[in-house]
Amino acid sequence: MTAFLRSSQPAPDWLASALPELTQKGCCGYESFVQAALYHPEHGYYQKDITRVGRTRDHDFATATSAGPLFGRLVRFAAATLARQAGLDPSELTLVEVGAESARGVFEGNPGPFAAVETRRLGDPLTLPPRAVVFSNELFDAQPFQRFHKSGDGWREIRLRLDGEGHLAETLGDITRGLPDDVPEGWMLDWPTGAENLLTHLARQPWSGLFIAFDYGKNWDDFLNETPQGSARAYRRQTQHNRLLDDPGEQDLTCHVAWDRLGNILRANNFATPTLRRQESFFLHHARAAVAAVFQDHPDPLSPERRALATLLHPAHFGSLFQVLHAARSF
C-alpha cells in the first residue's frame, strides 16, 4: 500500500506566498512546488549562494565535477571530436555550459579549440549563440516534475495541500488520461516534465552545432516497469531520501530524465541521430587520446589525476551511473 508523504514540519511562510494555489484553491501540483523549492529567487535551493557539490558532509551531493578539472578537459576534448565528426569547425563554435555551478564553469574559462566559453548559471536566461556546443552536467534531473499514482480507477495526479497543522501533504487529484493501463495498482510515476520543457526551449532556438547532456535517467518504459515507488529523490548532506516535502529550499530535489523522450525532442527539432552512451563509453569513444594522456603523464595509479580518472570512468563510480546524450544540428 502506498504511503503518501507529509512534511515533518509546517511549511515555511515564504512557500505559501510563492504558491498562491495552496491558499486560493486548496492544493497545487508538484511542478509548482519543485519550481519554487529549487528556483524561488530568494529561497530556492539553486538560487542560494552556497556550495552544494563536493565530497564532504558539508556538501549535499557529489557529481563528475567533484573529480576536479579533468572532467572539463575530457568534455572539451570529446566535444571537439564530435564536432569534427559532424563536419563542424570547433573554432567557429562557442562552448556554452548551461546550468553551471560556478561563474567559470567546468571549462574554467579555457576554450581550447573553440571560439569562446560562456556559462549560464541555473536561473540565468537561457539564450544561446548562433553556433554553439551546448553542454550540461546534471541539469535536466534538477527540473520540476509531476507525480502520479495508479489507483483502482486509473491514474491520478498527486497534488499537495496544507493540512490543519500547516504541513504539506500529498493528496490525490483527478483522473489523468493517456497513461498506460497495464500497470499494477499502487504504482508511482514521476514524470520529468520540466526536463522535457527545458530541452524544448533550448532546441527551438535558432542555433546550430552540438548538444551534449550528462545526466542520469531511464527510458520511458523503464519508468513504468522498474520504479514502483517513482524516481524522485531528495539529497542533503550526502544522503539520499524520499522526504520530498521537508525543508523546501534547503535540499536538492531530483528526478530521473526520460532519455528516449528527450531524444524525440531533439529529432523533432532537426538534430541528427541522438545517441546515448554511458559516461565511461562516451569518454573512451570520443576522448580516448585525452584519457591515454592521463596514463602517460601520471604513471602513479595513486596520483590525483589517475584517481580522478577512475572516478569518472569506473563502473563502480560515475562511469555507469551517468549517461550522455549527444546530437548535432546544422542549418
Side-chain angles (χ1 to χ4, degrees):
M1 182 176 180
T2 301
F4 292 102
L5 298 179
R6 178 179 184 266
S7 63
S8 60
Q9 299 291 333
D13 292 340
W14 70 264
L15 187 66
S17 62
L19 300 173
E21 300 165 274
L22 276 176
T23 53
Q24 296 174 8
K25 298 183 179 180
C27 64
C28 73
Y30 251 95
E31 278 184 309
S32 299
F33 166 71
V34 176
Q35 178 68 34
L38 297 183
Y39 297 107
H40 183 278
E42 181 180 358
H43 302 286
Y45 176 77
Y46 280 110
Q47 300 300 95
K48 294 179 178 179
D49 186 18
I50 57 175
T51 303
R52 289 168 280 270
V53 180
R55 293 186 172 278
T56 75
R57 295 291 295 179
D58 293 330
H59 306 101
D60 289 328
F61 55 89
T63 185
T65 58
S66 308
L70 178 62
F71 178 64
R73 296 206 304 271
L74 294 182
V75 172
R76 192 168 55 234
F77 191 100
T81 300
L82 285 168
R84 296 184 185 105
Q85 290 174 352
L88 303 169
D89 183 351
S91 68
E92 298 177 354
L93 302 175
T94 299
L95 191 55
V96 182
E97 181 180 358
V98 180
E101 270 288 316
S102 65
R104 292 178 64 82
V106 304
F107 305 115
E108 300 182 325
N110 182 354
F114 295 96
V117 170
E118 296 180 4
T119 58
R120 305 286 189 273
R121 302 288 299 277
L122 285 166
D124 288 349
L126 295 180
T127 54
L128 301 171
R131 294 179 63 78
V133 173
V134 178
F135 157 79
S136 67
N137 179 56
E138 289 201 74
L139 169 66
F140 289 93
D141 69 86
Q143 302 303 314
F145 50 86
Q146 290 181 282
R147 305 200 86 192
F148 296 91
H149 175 262
K150 181 65 181 301
S151 304
D153 52 358
W155 286 99
R156 291 182 178 272
E157 183 181 1
I158 297 177
R159 297 178 63 79
L160 300 177
R161 62 181 178 85
L162 290 173
D163 66 14
E165 297 178 352
H167 292 241
L168 282 168
E170 292 183 339
T171 186
L172 292 180
D174 295 334
I175 291 288
T176 297
R177 306 297 178 187
L179 293 174
D181 290 329
D182 57 343
V183 175
E185 184 175 348
W187 204 273
M188 302 281 285
L189 171 65
D190 292 313
W191 188 341
T193 47
E196 296 174 18
N197 293 336
L198 173 59
L199 181 55
T200 298
H201 173 69
L202 294 174
R204 285 180 175 174
Q205 295 184 43
W207 60 276
S208 61
L210 188 64
F211 172 85
I212 304 175
F214 286 67
D215 228 306
Y216 55 88
K218 301 175 179 292
N219 285 330
W220 184 245
D221 284 348
D222 298 332
F223 281 81
L224 299 168
N225 290 284
E226 298 180 1
T227 57
Q229 297 302 315
S231 71
R233 299 291 184 268
Y235 284 88
R236 190 173 189 183
R237 299 294 186 265
Q238 306 294 346
T239 300
Q240 173 188 290
H241 60 85
N242 67 351
R243 299 185 300 278
L244 307 179
L245 304 182
D246 285 1
D247 301 318
E250 302 297 327
Q251 62 179 359
D252 187 25
L253 299 175
T254 179
C255 175
H256 279 63
V257 303
W259 286 121
D260 48 350
R261 295 180 67 92
L262 296 186
N264 289 340
I265 293 172
L266 292 173
R267 290 186 187 91
N269 286 277
N270 301 313
F271 283 83
T273 318
T275 302
L276 181 68
R277 292 187 184 275
R278 294 189 312 173
Q279 181 170 293
E280 171 195 16
S281 175
F282 177 81
F283 283 137
L284 291 179
H285 273 83
H286 306 299
R288 183 179 296 273
V291 170
V294 175
F295 286 93
Q296 179 178 336
D297 298 341
H298 304 277
D300 181 0
L302 297 180
S303 67
E305 288 275 322
R306 289 281 295 274
R307 290 162 64 182
L309 185 64
T311 297
L312 295 174
L313 299 187
H314 198 285
H317 299 293
F318 294 151
S320 61
L321 176 63
F322 294 105
Q323 299 91 48
V324 187
L325 179 66
H326 63 87
R329 176 174 68 178
S330 59
F331 291 125

